[in-house]
Amino acid sequence: MQNYEYKVLPAPAKGEKSKGLKNAETRFAYAIERLMNDMAAEGWEYQRAETLPSEERSGLTSSQTVWRNLLVFRRPRPSAETALDDSGLERRRLTSAADLARTNAPEEAEPEAPEEAPRPEPVAETEAETETGRPEDDDRQPERATTS
């Protein structure tokens, strides 16, 4: 038995302008035609139009019934067997592509893994660095003794 999935859309409330369309009736028909063609391009089959009641709030305490125009579309739902077959096929395609890449590669020695660059060893703190928070420079001028 075939399973279907359904999609329900609101029908257009007014027509769409287009070149050569003069009156409201043809514009409205064009809007519905365009919606139906867009849905068909996505694989949805038009089923029917429905007018259904909808309860909506009106003011703070009351409600009213509004009639809505809806368009119903359906398309076949893929069966579980078809989905499994497709996923298995995709897996085979990926495996085949990987095998193909390996067989077409020139036979050379495998490149060795790049060696890691040697990491610098941590420098021990000097007494001057711990006291002032920075290392002393050897190039600096020695402090001059002031004579008073």
Side-chain angles (χ1 to χ4, degrees):
M1 183 174 152
Q2 180 70 39
N3 287 332
Y4 294 98
E5 61 181 330
Y6 292 85
K7 187 172 234 181
V8 180
L9 299 174
K14 64 181 199 174
E16 295 179 13
K17 291 183 179 181
S18 183
K19 189 174 185 176
L21 302 179
K22 300 289 183 188
N23 58 21
E25 187 177 51
T26 55
R27 288 179 180 168
F28 183 73
Y30 174 72
I32 291 178
E33 176 185 339
R34 191 164 150 241
L35 174 67
M36 292 175 77
N37 284 331
D38 289 346
M39 294 301 292
E42 294 176 19
W44 295 97
E45 176 186 358
Y46 173 74
Q47 289 298 295
R48 65 185 167 272
E50 296 283 342
T51 302
L52 298 172
S54 172
E55 283 290 316
E56 295 185 2
R57 290 185 74 176
S58 174
L60 294 175
T61 58
S62 64
S63 63
Q64 65 180 6
T65 301
V66 177
W67 292 87
R68 302 284 180 196
N69 296 313
L70 305 169
L71 301 176
V72 180
F73 297 87
R74 78 174 185 181
R75 68 178 172 191
R77 179 177 289 160
S79 66
E81 293 173 3
T82 306
L84 290 175
D85 290 343
D86 290 344
S87 65
L89 179 61
E90 186 64 27
R91 217 175 297 119
R92 283 187 299 228
R93 284 185 191 146
L94 292 174
T95 304
S96 298
D99 291 341
L100 183 61
R102 270 188 249 121
T103 58
N104 287 340
E107 294 184 23
E108 296 178 6
E110 289 188 22
E112 296 179 14
E115 295 181 20
E116 289 187 25
R119 294 185 181 166
E121 294 183 23
V123 179
E125 293 181 349
T126 61
E127 286 182 31
E129 186 174 2
T130 56
E131 290 175 12
T132 62
R134 64 173 194 233
E136 288 195 40
D137 295 335
D138 293 334
D139 296 340
R140 286 195 315 181
Q141 299 282 336
E143 290 185 26
R144 295 183 184 157
T146 54
T147 53
S148 34

